[in-house]
Amino acid sequence: MLLQQLINGISVGGIYALLATGYALIYSLLGFSNWAHGEVAMLGAYIGILSVTALQMPFIFAVILAVVGAGFISVFNEKIAYKRIRDNNSPTMFLMIAAMGLSTTFQNLAIVVFGPKFKMYPQILPVGAVKIGSLSVGLLDLVSLGIAIVAIIGLEYLITKTKFGLAVKAASSNMGTASLLGINVDKYIMLVFFLAGTLAGISGILYGMKYTVYPQLGNVALKAFIASVFGGLGSVQGAIVGAMSIGLLETLVSAYIHSGLRDLITFILLIAILLVRPTGLMGKDIQDKA
Amino acid sequence: MLKIENLHAAYGGIKALRGVSIEVNEGEIVAVLGSNGAGKSTLLKTISGVMKQTEGSVQFDGEEMPRVPYQVVGKGIVHVPEGRQIFSNLTVYENLMIGSFLRKDKAQIEKDLIEVYELFPRLLERKDQYGGHLSGGEQQMLAVGRGLMANPKLMILDEPSLGLAPLIVNQIFEIVKEINKRGTAILIVEQNAMKALKICDRAYLMSTGVIEKSGKPEDLRNDPELMKAYLG
């Protein structure tokens, strides 16, 4: 029973991690909390579900459309709001306020366009559980975990092993100098928004399949935010660890204490970490000595 | 190779450059001297495209320079900015690799890396450390080494001696001379005028956005106006 709950928790954690890593990437680059990130996941979930139900598309095409669509919505946010604010040299606070505005706009737009009702993804995977010995684990949870792991490994590779990753790290450290040395910073910011958007899209679909799709689905980004703070703001590895921890914590609290206390305990964790260790678990603060 | 004509630039309404014309020829070390607020850094920023001029031209090898910083470095001018501006969360090696970001010639990049480590053995010792963990002098070496990794025809240096101990300053100036000997032209902006005059072939004296004087270092060294600019 416990092992089963743990797998369940990691699976939920994987969904959070997909959101939290993108959120952390944007934070590390631009130093603001992108509150519209959850709405990108929500819109991705809607694109997916409507492609399958209304347009009768094969599931795999619907997923691709949703993931790429979410990437473009994320880039749209950057182009229409954040880039302009940066170009005006406005304070970082303006970015966060713009993100809140986008978040509210998308949520209400979804209510108007898609309706306030909860929508169910049609049954794609056979319902049921996989039996491993005495364990029985939901098939969807396993698949979801697998997809999250593959996506996160891909992201890690991109950041630590490629020229793209080096450019993003340099830009997040010092944009002016990165640009002096040949990095087209605006291009890389756009690519990061696209990448973060696609991860959010995957997250939105998985979340929608596990639960339902509804206009406030984006609020799940709050969990990703807590995961990111818990792991260390701006750190991608930290976001993964944080997301897994929160997934586990929530599942265990629901299973063994009371499901009503789930969010309460998560938020207590947020307050505790801010008080005790504000840099988070893996937040590295490399201060300039000179 | 670098030809700047009648350059004007402003921060909002404040004019920082008012018709600056300077030249740097192949193989030269040229110094721009002047007190705080003379417009020296602005001049360099305008060359590298960080600032946009309101008037005038920046030509390099007969070609008008692009007005976007990330394109300027590809044309062969690298700007080593004031205050070193190390990527503190990147290792020394990664910092150097950013210097060669636009280059595709892998074999030559490897050779240049070895050469940078030869010039600055400290960087080799510390290649896996974070840039932010280096001392000020080491950071300046890293900033210069990172600039060299771009394989520039012209390196522009903004106050490389800023905040460094005299011994380190001498070391940095020696290396600047060495880099020049190996074929890179240098345009250096300095408040430490006497040091800069020791290594340069020509110098310009700048104040309040205009070039006041130019000439050989031996002529400028005893110039009363230079004294005035520095000592008041």
Side-chain angles (χ1 to χ4, degrees):
Chain A
M1 174 66 181
L2 175 66
L3 195 58
Q4 213 165 298
Q5 294 296 347
L6 290 180
I7 294 175
N8 215 337
I10 297 175
S11 163
V12 176
I15 298 178
Y16 291 163
L18 289 171
L19 264 182
T21 45
Y23 169 87
L25 265 180
I26 293 171
Y27 187 91
S28 77
L29 204 52
L30 299 177
F32 83 104
S33 198
N34 183 12
W35 291 118
H37 196 54
E39 275 59 42
V40 174
M42 178 269 288
L43 291 172
Y46 269 109
I47 296 174
I49 203 168
L50 292 175
S51 303
V52 176
T53 55
L55 301 176
Q56 297 287 316
M57 277 167 91
F59 184 62
I60 184 71
F61 290 130
V63 168
I64 293 171
L65 190 67
V67 170
V68 174
F72 278 115
I73 291 165
S74 181
V75 171
F76 170 81
N77 291 347
E78 146 71 3
K79 290 276 175 215
I80 199 166
Y82 310 142
K83 182 172 186 309
R84 290 167 185 230
I85 292 171
R86 282 201 315 279
D87 288 349
N88 287 341
N89 288 321
S90 300
T92 312
M93 175 68 83
F94 287 19
L95 293 170
M96 200 174 88
I97 294 168
M100 287 172 167
L102 284 168
S103 164
T104 309
T105 308
F106 283 134
Q107 245 182 54
N108 287 288
L109 212 61
I111 295 174
V112 173
V113 176
F114 307 125
K117 287 207 187 91
F118 290 70
K119 289 190 196 315
M120 294 278 280
Y121 260 89
Q123 223 70 71
I124 311 292
L125 296 167
V127 202
V130 182
K131 293 253 184 223
I132 313 167
S134 61
L135 277 177
S136 97
V137 184
L139 184 60
L140 180 64
D141 286 341
L142 276 184
V143 171
S144 156
L145 181 59
I147 291 172
I149 288 173
V150 169
I152 287 166
I153 289 175
L155 177 68
E156 266 299 302
Y157 176 82
L158 213 55
I159 290 172
T160 54
K161 301 273 185 251
T162 64
K163 223 171 168 181
F164 168 83
L166 189 62
V168 170
K169 280 198 288 183
S172 73
S173 175
N174 188 329
M175 276 188 197
T177 309
S179 141
L180 277 182
L181 293 167
I183 296 171
N184 182 351
V185 172
D186 278 329
K187 184 181 96 181
Y188 281 92
I189 291 175
M190 191 187 80
L191 290 174
V192 163
F193 269 94
F194 185 78
L195 184 65
T198 56
L199 293 172
I202 299 173
S203 170
I205 294 170
L206 293 176
Y207 190 88
M209 286 171 72
K210 187 170 172 67
Y211 306 106
T212 51
V213 179
Y214 52 97
Q216 291 80 20
L217 185 151
N219 290 344
V220 66
L222 211 51
K223 302 284 176 61
F225 167 70
I226 298 173
S228 192
V229 173
F230 183 61
L233 259 182
S235 153
V236 171
Q237 284 99 334
I240 297 167
V241 172
M244 291 299 177
S245 312
I246 286 175
L248 280 171
L249 182 74
E250 282 190 2
T251 313
L252 293 179
V253 167
S254 312
Y256 296 108
I257 305 173
H258 190 279
S259 63
L261 293 177
R262 200 183 66 178
D263 289 356
L264 179 71
I265 290 189
T266 310
F267 279 93
I268 288 175
L269 178 76
L270 171 67
I271 295 168
I273 197 96
L274 285 175
L275 289 176
V276 178
R277 193 179 154 81
T279 51
L281 284 182
M282 306 177 72
K284 53 181 178 185
D285 194 13
I286 298 168
Q287 276 176 356
D288 215 311
K289 265 177 40 178
Chain B
M1 68 204 302
L2 179 72
K3 199 174 162 119
I4 291 169
E5 272 176 355
N6 189 30
L7 205 60
H8 289 256
Y11 297 95
I14 302 155
K15 288 189 174 145
L17 298 180
R18 299 178 297 152
V20 171
S21 302
I22 66 166
E23 253 179 79
V24 180
N25 301 313
E26 206 107 15
E28 270 189 322
I29 300 183
V30 174
V32 177
L33 310 172
S35 57
N36 260 337
K40 305 182 305 280
S41 289
T42 308
L43 173 62
L44 297 195
K45 282 183 189 162
T46 314
I47 296 172
S48 57
V50 176
M51 285 271 295
K52 316 273 176 274
Q53 73 263 45
T54 48
E55 209 182 303
S57 76
V58 180
Q59 286 192 346
F60 189 62
D61 287 340
E63 194 188 339
E64 191 68 33
M65 278 284 100
R67 297 292 74 203
V68 203
Y70 67 87
Q71 291 174 355
V72 169
V73 63
K75 302 280 181 190
I77 301 182
V78 76
H79 180 170
V80 178
E82 184 179 357
R84 308 182 269 276
Q85 311 292 339
I86 290 308
F87 301 114
S88 48
N89 62 343
L90 264 61
T91 64
V92 167
Y93 171 78
E94 287 175 324
N95 266 280
L96 293 173
M97 282 299 108
I98 292 289
S100 62
F101 190 76
L102 289 180
R103 296 171 61 189
K104 305 260 186 283
D105 46 341
K106 277 208 172 131
Q108 193 56 44
I109 291 175
E110 276 302 308
K111 276 188 200 159
D112 289 353
L113 183 65
I114 292 168
E115 198 173 326
V116 167
Y117 284 149
E118 262 171 32
L119 278 174
F120 305 103
R122 281 307 282 253
L123 296 185
L124 180 60
E125 281 167 39
R126 308 198 132 208
K127 72 182 166 65
D128 296 320
Q129 287 197 27
Y130 285 115
H133 289 168
L134 303 183
S135 71
E138 288 164 345
Q139 288 195 350
Q140 186 62 57
M141 292 175 190
L142 180 54
V144 173
R146 186 179 60 185
L148 275 180
M149 289 303 292
N151 191 23
K153 291 184 222 159
L154 171 67
M155 178 180 269
I156 56 184
L157 287 158
D158 196 348
E159 303 270 5
S161 74
L162 195 75
L164 299 182
L167 217 62
I168 312 274
V169 173
N170 289 343
Q171 225 178 322
I172 299 278
F173 275 93
E174 279 309 308
I175 286 166
V176 170
K177 248 163 74 182
E178 177 62 30
I179 291 169
N180 176 250
K181 250 188 234 156
R182 295 184 185 193
T184 308
I186 308 274
L187 176 63
I188 184 170
V189 150
E190 258 298 339
Q191 284 204 49
N192 193 337
M194 289 309 153
K195 276 265 154 16
L197 285 174
K198 262 185 204 150
I199 63 161
C200 70
D201 300 305
R202 284 188 304 117
Y204 292 93
L205 184 58
M206 201 172 171
S207 77
T208 58
V210 291
I211 299 288
E212 295 274 344
K213 262 205 170 96
S214 68
K216 299 259 173 214
E218 50 272 24
D219 302 333
L220 287 172
R221 200 167 290 139
N222 300 314
D223 190 280
E225 267 198 56
L226 180 67
M227 288 299 164
K228 207 179 82 196
Y230 282 97
L231 304 169

